[in-house]
Amino acid sequence: MLSTSRRGLLRGAGSLSLAMALNGLAPGRGVAGQPISFVGWTFRPDMVQGYVDYFNKKYDEQVNYSTLPWPQFHQTLEARAFAGEVVDVMYCFHSFRERWSQTGLIRPLDDLPGVDEIKAAMAPANLESLKNKNGQLVALPYYLALYIMIYNEPMLQQGGFQAPAASWDELIEHCVKLKKDGASEYPYLPNWNPTVTGTTTQFLTDCFADGATVFDADNRLVIDQDPGVAQVMERWQRIYGLGLVTPEIFTKPSTTDVHRMMFTGRYAYHSNHSNYLQTIASNTKESLLAPKKAKMTAYPGKTGDTYMWTDSYVLNANTTALESAWKLMRFVGANLDKDWTVQRKWAIATGLDNPYPALYEEPEVISSYANWIDLPLLRRQFGKGKVISAFKEAWYPEYDARAVPILHDMIRKTIPVGDAIKQLVALQRSLA
């Protein structure tokens, strides 16, 4: 967590810059074309640089784009901000937005030109998730994701299964048979990697899919009050105890690395972020399950709901080039070009989804998705996407990270389910 002095410094700087920023947008005060910095985590930097170059040329701007490795992305930017550096526009993982908002590192967007039109174009649940606890919009969407269930169609056919599992019991039965028959040593590949995009989001998904409550309306962890949560944990223990999940999963460095395991065709079922099916099902150079041998099915569980989140672009409260920075924000996170330039590129090139429904009316997007997924099925799963507001609490990032080893110990039965629940609840209470 940030120290008290760091919080105070950033909050003070943010308050000062807010006044400067408002003046900066007054008629005659904006400085278009002023150099600005844009920092993202390292994912498809070639593509990002391409549309940044396009933006600079078309709008006569001077955006300097760079990347930071994912594992220390937010911590590095916080350290740089504390040292006095201003990164005008930044990527931000959803569980860090409130922390950055409260410390004054980023500024609200509600007073900026065109923001009402942007809000109106967005799906309500995602719009709400981009607001801070005070109800202010503090980010524009980079992408949205939710968990889906993916299956290996040739392997299921080899096992004599005519359709993917419609329940958890059936999925386990399929995996047990496939393991017994020698078709797969580890038939199920859940996203139990040790990062905050892995185990904890998989846990939320599987709880939601069974209708279990994780956080209450006050964002308190209440998994000790819903027996459905213990049932999810017990199922995880059973799946691992049956030898259906590779121990390798606990040490994979990222969610991206986990989905690449599916390229090998050695797994029957895989649960992960929705966009990862695109490379599994269409990358013929790397994936043995391309083209379209890996498919999506409805997520199993009593409700079939899954965890959904929206990651984002945020605007530094200390920017001295507000006009240019906000223009870049609208270009990458909204529809400044009126043809979904950036969102369309992400959807087609990587399968990243977006909370603007109009994007899915674009013929090019519809045609591209048909190459790797049943788009109507994906849209129905979006309808079952559940967002939480607990990530808007300043304590959430630390809770999210420290919950992972507890869940891993529970899966391995190093600690019983009841003790894991007590430890998680105690952890949340200690941080809140």
Side-chain angles (χ1 to χ4, degrees):
M1 298 293 289
L2 291 174
S3 66
T4 301
S5 59
R6 180 174 294 189
R7 286 197 297 267
L9 176 62
L10 291 177
R11 185 178 294 112
S15 298
L16 176 62
S17 69
L18 179 59
M20 294 171 60
L22 290 173
N23 287 333
L25 276 187
R29 296 293 298 276
V31 184
Q34 187 174 342
I36 60 173
S37 57
F38 176 38
V39 176
W41 48 74
T42 308
F43 179 63
R44 293 299 303 267
D46 54 334
M47 191 173 82
V48 179
Q49 187 64 62
Y51 61 66
V52 166
D53 291 343
Y54 167 85
F55 174 81
N56 283 337
K57 183 177 181 179
K58 179 171 182 176
Y59 295 100
D60 193 24
E61 296 290 346
Q62 301 178 59
V63 177
N64 298 310
Y65 164 68
S66 61
T67 67
L68 292 170
W70 164 250
Q72 294 299 315
F73 178 83
H74 297 86
Q75 295 87 338
T76 301
L77 286 175
E78 287 174 359
R80 286 164 61 169
F82 187 59
E85 180 178 350
V86 175
V87 176
D88 300 280
V89 178
M90 303 167 280
Y91 288 18
C92 185
F93 190 61
H94 63 287
S95 63
F96 278 80
R97 279 199 299 266
E98 187 67 27
R99 170 167 161 164
W100 284 8
S101 179
Q102 289 188 19
T103 58
L105 176 57
I106 61 175
R107 60 155 292 172
L109 309 175
D110 300 277
D111 62 320
L112 298 176
V115 75
D116 289 339
E117 179 183 356
I118 293 170
K119 289 179 183 179
M122 217 182 298
N126 302 106
L127 173 61
E128 188 61 31
S129 74
L130 292 168
K131 297 178 181 179
N132 64 13
K133 287 187 69 176
N134 296 328
Q136 298 168 305
L137 183 69
V138 292
L140 293 185
Y142 167 23
Y143 71 95
L144 75 82
L146 79 170
Y147 268 73
I148 63 171
M149 185 63 72
I150 300 165
Y151 67 96
N152 178 339
E153 186 174 57
M155 184 176 286
L156 292 190
Q157 291 175 347
Q158 179 185 346
F161 305 115
Q162 302 304 311
S167 68
W168 283 113
D169 287 342
E170 192 175 1
L171 185 147
I172 293 171
E173 289 174 8
H174 285 190
C175 290
V176 167
K177 184 178 186 299
L178 290 167
K179 183 178 180 71
K180 182 180 179 181
D181 292 349
S184 174
E185 184 178 8
Y186 300 110
Y188 181 43
L189 184 64
N191 190 21
W192 290 345
N193 85 80
T195 74
V196 295
T197 62
T199 303
T200 52
T201 50
Q202 181 74 74
F203 179 62
L204 287 169
T205 286
D206 286 9
C207 287
F208 294 160
D210 274 346
T213 301
V214 179
F215 295 100
D216 67 12
D218 296 320
N219 296 330
R220 287 167 53 92
L221 191 69
V222 291
I223 57 175
D224 55 340
Q225 300 175 31
D226 190 329
V229 175
Q231 292 169 10
V232 169
M233 290 182 165
E234 289 163 359
R235 184 174 66 240
W236 282 19
Q237 286 185 334
R238 181 186 172 205
I239 289 172
Y240 189 68
L242 288 169
L244 304 181
V245 178
T246 175
E248 182 185 359
I249 198 68
F250 298 118
T251 58
K252 299 306 289 186
S254 73
T255 293
T256 299
D257 290 288
V258 173
H259 102 279
R260 287 180 179 141
M261 295 170 70
M262 197 70 179
F263 288 0
T264 64
R266 295 198 300 261
Y267 308 92
Y269 291 97
H270 176 40
S271 47
N272 209 327
H273 305 182
S274 51
N275 64 288
Y276 283 122
L277 179 56
Q278 200 244 32
T279 49
I280 296 169
S282 65
N283 186 342
T284 54
K285 292 182 179 180
E286 296 185 68
S287 176
L288 296 180
L289 294 179
K292 297 185 74 171
K293 297 173 185 175
K295 297 184 177 182
M296 174 187 172
T297 186
Y299 209 88
K302 295 176 182 176
T303 65
D305 295 340
T306 59
Y307 181 50
M308 179 171 66
W309 66 99
T310 310
D311 286 330
S312 57
Y313 307 102
V314 292
L315 186 58
N316 197 309
N318 295 304
T319 183
T320 58
L322 182 59
E323 183 176 343
S324 292
W326 176 234
K327 187 185 295 181
L328 175 65
M329 285 274 287
R330 284 181 290 160
F331 175 72
V332 296
N335 194 18
L336 182 65
D337 254 7
K338 303 302 180 185
D339 68 351
W340 303 109
T341 303
V342 175
Q343 288 78 11
R344 186 162 37 83
K345 286 182 181 295
W346 281 118
I348 292 171
T350 69
L352 284 180
D353 289 296
N354 213 274
Y356 296 109
L359 176 68
Y360 300 94
E361 298 173 4
E362 293 287 313
E364 191 178 7
V365 173
I366 295 171
S367 176
S368 175
Y369 272 62
N371 293 321
W372 60 275
I373 201 169
D374 179 342
L375 182 56
L377 176 60
L378 177 62
R379 299 298 292 170
R380 288 196 295 273
Q381 190 68 58
F382 281 155
K384 289 178 171 288
K386 288 180 67 73
V387 300
I388 61 171
S389 58
F391 73 81
K392 297 182 181 182
E393 302 290 347
W395 50 260
Y396 191 84
E398 187 171 355
Y399 164 80
D400 205 20
R402 290 171 60 181
V404 171
I406 298 173
L407 289 169
H408 283 185
D409 285 345
M410 178 276 299
I411 293 168
R412 297 186 184 106
K413 294 189 177 180
T414 304
I415 56 175
V417 165
D419 288 354
I421 289 174
K422 290 178 182 177
Q423 287 184 31
L424 289 169
V425 170
L427 171 63
Q428 188 271 315
R429 299 290 190 271
S430 72
L431 297 173

